[in-house]
Amino acid sequence: MKGAYLWRPNSEAEANAVKNKFEFETNEIWTGANSPTHDDKFIFDVENVALSISSPPFGEFNNFENYDCVEISLNAMNVWQWDDKECTENYRYVCELPR
């Protein structure tokens, strides 16, 4: 059995539930998506599933800048935005356990 892994937000309802449960405001939250090949091809590590920067599971993509880790946050219009950031940034995170 695998251990805990960084959260994979699957839907807007799930993201809103996580935000409310942990009382996140509009702060950035790390996702489990990253670019292991350093070329803007993102995957969710736990399942090796691609994350398309042109078609996120919900919300919209922000200005991608060729960083290797992905976070989400709510903008002023209450829309979830996905953005790549340097992996060394200090953001909140949620870990999931496999079922």
Side-chain angles (χ1 to χ4, degrees):
M1 178 191 325
K2 291 184 178 185
Y5 51 88
L6 279 177
W7 175 45
R8 177 183 176 190
N10 293 300
S11 69
E12 185 172 8
E14 178 185 348
N16 289 334
V18 166
K19 177 187 74 79
N20 293 335
K21 168 91 174 156
F22 297 106
E23 300 179 356
F24 292 150
E25 298 293 326
T26 58
N27 297 333
E28 293 86 353
I29 306 168
W30 283 123
T31 71
N34 67 81
S35 177
T37 53
H38 313 291
D39 60 1
D40 285 344
K41 292 181 181 168
F42 296 95
I43 62 164
F44 286 102
D45 254 353
V46 68
E47 298 162 331
N48 201 29
V49 173
L51 169 65
S52 168
I53 61 173
S54 62
S55 179
F58 60 91
E60 59 193 29
F61 278 96
N62 200 2
N63 183 24
F64 268 71
E65 300 177 26
N66 202 28
Y67 294 120
D68 291 335
C69 291
V70 178
E71 56 85 5
I72 62 171
S73 59
L74 280 173
N75 67 14
M77 302 300 292
N78 217 28
V79 173
W80 286 101
Q81 289 192 313
W82 299 70
D83 200 359
D84 65 330
K85 298 287 184 174
E86 289 190 49
C87 299
T88 57
E89 293 291 334
N90 189 17
Y91 296 141
R92 295 174 182 240
Y93 61 92
V94 173
C95 291
E96 288 187 284
L97 292 171
R99 293 180 183 231

